[in-house]
Amino acid sequence: MTTSRRASSGLFTLAAIVTSVAALYVAREILLPFALAVLLSFLLAPLADRLEARGVWRVPAVVTVVSIAVTCLGLLGWIVTSQLIELSGNMEKYRANIVAKVREISNQSSIFSGVTKTIEQIREEVVGPDAAGDEIAADNIPSGDAEQPLPSRGRSARPTASRLGEFQQTELPPVRVVALPPSPLSQVQAWLGPLVAPLTAAGMVVVLVLFMLLQREDQRNRLIRLFGVANIHATTEALTDVVERVSQYLRMQFLINAGYGLSAGLGLSIIGVPSAIMFGVLCFALRFLPYIGPWIAAAMPLAVSAAVSEGWTQPLIVIGMFIVLELIVNNVAEPLLYGSSIGVSGIGVIVAAIFWTWIWGPVGLVMAMPLTVCLVVMARYIPALRFVAILLGDQPSLTTEERIYQRMLAFDEEEVQELAAAHLADHNPTEFYDDVLLPALRLAERDRHAGFLTEEQEDAVQEAARDLISQLPTDGRYEDYREPGTRALCIPLRDEADKTAALMLQKLLGIHGVELRASAVGALTSELVESVESMEVDLVIVSVLPPLASRDSRLLCRKLRSRYPTLPIIVGYWDAQASPESRRLLSAKADGEIVTSLAEAVERSRAIASRKTKAVPAPHFREASTPTSVKVE
């Protein structure tokens, strides 16, 4: 039943995705203005909020912000159009430079001429020079010289060649073609026809932006209602995350691109490239296109510079200027202004650019990143779309402990060592044990109890973990602390995983003067209880790696407490993420102090050792009295 439900759920999700993609493609004429309006509202909403915070009413504030935005866009469009017309009119002056540079390039590119000559020689050898000459002669034969039979239609035969020649020699009166003047309506249609669709779309976008800004709280409430009041917490978090990420991304991208365009326009003007203002505006606009935008923005002024300049100095300066701008923007401005990540991985950016370009064309390429950010953030809160966040998000696909455990299962000890070294570059050994190695062992224990691991894999995991423990340095955070003479016994409760955790604790406590010995796995409870007295230990630590064996821990702790009422007992339940229910259950069944991390166990052991040292001198181990039935390592 469960398998069939999962299959039906997967099919439903797939059908929903296919339907959504088809709807995006078919209804692009309607959805594209709506998407543009949403993104513009994200960009303009903070400005409207600031005006309202200064006491301006909502309607005047929204109208003012939208009017300024539309005016700026119209002004930039007018500047680009006028300078483009001026540049196209002046290109006739630069024809000589263009022809000279093309000839120079063609003369210097001997390799291309050699390739062309080789291709022509191969064609002559394959086809033959006679065949090539025949093709040219056939092309030059006039069509009137060939005599072809003409079909007859009853008694009336078509003219023969001689009669046709006589007919052709007859002079015909010239035909005069008179063009009727176009009507005023047709002239208006010819002028406004290409502008109707863009103006209509722009008008729709402006109207939608006005209403979205005027009723933004109402739109938010409607979205919350759409996803359900029962999910109001998750929906609120999702909307907040989307608004913050997209608004920040659009604002920062606008500022970066505006600075880029201003710098490019100013630099081109200083260099002497014509229409520098137009190229600056185009650099600002084209940089919204991911990856290809900066290349297109640099190619156009470079081509114009090569056409208008006498030599190659100016084009080389233009290339150098754009390289410097890109280095500054990519390595300084973007990391400084973007701050936190937008939530999309590198491959996600490429996939998003391809997908939205296929769906909505060039405008979709401009909107690819904001739309993908919205999709990835929403996918984190919608279980059916979680795969989108995994595939396109910037979060690691596997955590460090999962990667280490996976490489242990693959018997790849070399990569295990590399992953451990990479984590230890920024963390100390105690944090590595608690945050990485113990969680990896918990994953192994979960799979072992579920019957997923073979005996060879179980041994490989424990062996790789112990190799890491033996090679890692001790944690030197408490090197100034020494409490000599303190002895402790660590009892692995059940299996080798508990013993591996005990070895971690043994290495961490060694630097603090606490001599920890770990008993063998599988020793009887009565033998362990007797060994505490014979070894004269000051502290007992029970090592338990989840899942918890409640019966064994309860029996051992009760016997230890019954036999040694004043002996400090620590139960190390190595799961820092344990639920409160697990902690309460463990506390109720254990007669010792509960710790859930190695760091906490070290702190408690230090505190117990300090109290013991101040109270009485520390006794020594009596090796001769150690029971032979209990193996101590």
mmCIF file of all heavy atoms in Angstrom, residues 372-388:
data_model
loop_
_atom_site.group_PDB
_atom_site.id
_atom_site.type_symbol
_atom_site.label_atom_id
_atom_site.label_comp_id
_atom_site.label_asym_id
_atom_site.label_seq_id
_atom_site.Cartn_x
_atom_site.Cartn_y
_atom_site.Cartn_z
ATOM 1 N N THR A 372 14.284 31.684 -10.694
ATOM 2 C CA THR A 372 14.839 30.455 -10.136
ATOM 3 C C THR A 372 15.031 30.576 -8.636
ATOM 4 O O THR A 372 14.835 29.604 -7.894
ATOM 5 C CB THR A 372 16.180 30.129 -10.819
ATOM 6 O OG1 THR A 372 15.988 30.095 -12.236
ATOM 7 C CG2 THR A 372 16.699 28.778 -10.372
ATOM 8 N N VAL A 373 15.421 31.758 -8.167
ATOM 9 C CA VAL A 373 15.538 31.971 -6.718
ATOM 10 C C VAL A 373 14.186 31.740 -6.044
ATOM 11 O O VAL A 373 14.091 31.061 -5.013
ATOM 12 C CB VAL A 373 16.071 33.381 -6.426
ATOM 13 C CG1 VAL A 373 15.964 33.702 -4.943
ATOM 14 C CG2 VAL A 373 17.516 33.500 -6.873
ATOM 15 N N CYS A 374 13.116 32.297 -6.623
ATOM 16 C CA CYS A 374 11.774 32.081 -6.072
ATOM 17 C C CYS A 374 11.426 30.600 -6.051
ATOM 18 O O CYS A 374 10.895 30.080 -5.055
ATOM 19 C CB CYS A 374 10.741 32.852 -6.895
ATOM 20 S SG CYS A 374 10.919 34.647 -6.858
ATOM 21 N N LEU A 375 11.724 29.897 -7.139
ATOM 22 C CA LEU A 375 11.373 28.485 -7.234
ATOM 23 C C LEU A 375 12.139 27.650 -6.221
ATOM 24 O O LEU A 375 11.572 26.772 -5.562
ATOM 25 C CB LEU A 375 11.654 27.989 -8.656
ATOM 26 C CG LEU A 375 11.286 26.542 -8.966
ATOM 27 C CD1 LEU A 375 9.792 26.318 -8.782
ATOM 28 C CD2 LEU A 375 11.694 26.176 -10.381
ATOM 29 N N VAL A 376 13.442 27.913 -6.063
ATOM 30 C CA VAL A 376 14.261 27.127 -5.141
ATOM 31 C C VAL A 376 13.834 27.362 -3.699
ATOM 32 O O VAL A 376 13.744 26.416 -2.896
ATOM 33 C CB VAL A 376 15.748 27.463 -5.341
ATOM 34 C CG1 VAL A 376 16.603 26.862 -4.227
ATOM 35 C CG2 VAL A 376 16.230 26.948 -6.688
ATOM 36 N N VAL A 377 13.549 28.614 -3.352
ATOM 37 C CA VAL A 377 13.133 28.911 -1.972
ATOM 38 C C VAL A 377 11.787 28.273 -1.669
ATOM 39 O O VAL A 377 11.591 27.671 -0.596
ATOM 40 C CB VAL A 377 13.091 30.431 -1.750
ATOM 41 C CG1 VAL A 377 12.499 30.764 -0.386
ATOM 42 C CG2 VAL A 377 14.490 31.021 -1.867
ATOM 43 N N MET A 378 10.845 28.361 -2.595
ATOM 44 C CA MET A 378 9.546 27.739 -2.360
ATOM 45 C C MET A 378 9.674 26.218 -2.279
ATOM 46 O O MET A 378 8.941 25.567 -1.531
ATOM 47 C CB MET A 378 8.577 28.126 -3.485
ATOM 48 C CG MET A 378 8.225 29.602 -3.526
ATOM 49 S SD MET A 378 7.436 30.183 -1.999
ATOM 50 C CE MET A 378 5.916 29.242 -2.035
ATOM 51 N N ALA A 379 10.607 25.639 -3.046
ATOM 52 C CA ALA A 379 10.776 24.181 -3.021
ATOM 53 C C ALA A 379 11.259 23.690 -1.666
ATOM 54 O O ALA A 379 11.024 22.530 -1.311
ATOM 55 C CB ALA A 379 11.749 23.764 -4.120
ATOM 56 N N ARG A 380 11.924 24.543 -0.913
ATOM 57 C CA ARG A 380 12.377 24.122 0.417
ATOM 58 C C ARG A 380 11.234 23.953 1.395
ATOM 59 O O ARG A 380 11.382 23.271 2.422
ATOM 60 C CB ARG A 380 13.367 25.153 0.967
ATOM 61 C CG ARG A 380 14.671 25.223 0.185
ATOM 62 C CD ARG A 380 15.555 26.332 0.703
ATOM 63 N NE ARG A 380 16.789 26.441 -0.086
ATOM 64 C CZ ARG A 380 17.681 27.402 0.047
ATOM 65 N NH1 ARG A 380 17.468 28.364 0.945
ATOM 66 N NH2 ARG A 380 18.756 27.435 -0.701
ATOM 67 N N TYR A 381 10.103 24.558 1.096
ATOM 68 C CA TYR A 381 8.958 24.491 2.009
ATOM 69 C C TYR A 381 7.826 23.631 1.460
ATOM 70 O O TYR A 381 6.832 23.428 2.161
ATOM 71 C CB TYR A 381 8.437 25.907 2.290
ATOM 72 C CG TYR A 381 9.454 26.798 2.954
ATOM 73 C CD1 TYR A 381 10.302 27.610 2.193
ATOM 74 C CD2 TYR A 381 9.598 26.823 4.333
ATOM 75 C CE1 TYR A 381 11.240 28.434 2.793
ATOM 76 C CE2 TYR A 381 10.537 27.647 4.941
ATOM 77 C CZ TYR A 381 11.352 28.437 4.166
ATOM 78 O OH TYR A 381 12.298 29.248 4.779
ATOM 79 N N ILE A 382 7.949 23.151 0.244
ATOM 80 C CA ILE A 382 6.926 22.293 -0.356
ATOM 81 C C ILE A 382 7.533 20.907 -0.537
ATOM 82 O O ILE A 382 8.449 20.723 -1.348
ATOM 83 C CB ILE A 382 6.441 22.852 -1.711
ATOM 84 C CG1 ILE A 382 5.866 24.259 -1.510
ATOM 85 C CG2 ILE A 382 5.397 21.937 -2.320
ATOM 86 C CD1 ILE A 382 5.451 24.934 -2.800
ATOM 87 N N PRO A 383 7.098 19.901 0.215
ATOM 88 C CA PRO A 383 7.738 18.578 0.134
ATOM 89 C C PRO A 383 7.750 17.990 -1.269
ATOM 90 O O PRO A 383 8.715 17.332 -1.657
ATOM 91 C CB PRO A 383 6.885 17.733 1.099
ATOM 92 C CG PRO A 383 6.281 18.714 2.046
ATOM 93 C CD PRO A 383 6.047 19.949 1.245
ATOM 94 N N ALA A 384 6.688 18.200 -2.059
ATOM 95 C CA ALA A 384 6.636 17.614 -3.398
ATOM 96 C C ALA A 384 7.683 18.211 -4.331
ATOM 97 O O ALA A 384 8.052 17.578 -5.337
ATOM 98 C CB ALA A 384 5.242 17.802 -4.003
ATOM 99 N N LEU A 385 8.174 19.416 -4.027
ATOM 100 C CA LEU A 385 9.172 20.082 -4.878
ATOM 101 C C LEU A 385 10.552 20.083 -4.235
ATOM 102 O O LEU A 385 11.434 20.832 -4.667
ATOM 103 C CB LEU A 385 8.745 21.519 -5.172
ATOM 104 C CG LEU A 385 7.441 21.704 -5.949
ATOM 105 C CD1 LEU A 385 7.144 23.181 -6.125
ATOM 106 C CD2 LEU A 385 7.527 21.020 -7.318
ATOM 107 N N ARG A 386 10.762 19.261 -3.220
ATOM 108 C CA ARG A 386 12.051 19.254 -2.539
ATOM 109 C C ARG A 386 13.198 18.900 -3.484
ATOM 110 O O ARG A 386 14.337 19.340 -3.297
ATOM 111 C CB ARG A 386 11.993 18.266 -1.370
ATOM 112 C CG ARG A 386 13.157 18.338 -0.421
ATOM 113 C CD ARG A 386 13.210 19.664 0.314
ATOM 114 N NE ARG A 386 11.970 19.980 0.977
ATOM 115 C CZ ARG A 386 11.657 19.567 2.195
ATOM 116 N NH1 ARG A 386 12.495 18.800 2.862
ATOM 117 N NH2 ARG A 386 10.505 19.900 2.756
ATOM 118 N N PHE A 387 12.911 18.086 -4.498
ATOM 119 C CA PHE A 387 13.967 17.696 -5.433
ATOM 120 C C PHE A 387 14.509 18.906 -6.194
ATOM 121 O O PHE A 387 15.676 18.912 -6.604
ATOM 122 C CB PHE A 387 13.428 16.652 -6.425
ATOM 123 C CG PHE A 387 12.460 17.182 -7.434
ATOM 124 C CD1 PHE A 387 12.885 17.582 -8.685
ATOM 125 C CD2 PHE A 387 11.111 17.304 -7.128
ATOM 126 C CE1 PHE A 387 11.987 18.070 -9.613
ATOM 127 C CE2 PHE A 387 10.212 17.793 -8.052
ATOM 128 C CZ PHE A 387 10.649 18.181 -9.301
ATOM 129 N N VAL A 388 13.693 19.945 -6.394
ATOM 130 C CA VAL A 388 14.170 21.142 -7.083
ATOM 131 C C VAL A 388 15.239 21.845 -6.246
ATOM 132 O O VAL A 388 16.278 22.280 -6.766
ATOM 133 C CB VAL A 388 12.996 22.088 -7.383
ATOM 134 C CG1 VAL A 388 13.494 23.385 -7.998
ATOM 135 C CG2 VAL A 388 11.992 21.414 -8.297
#
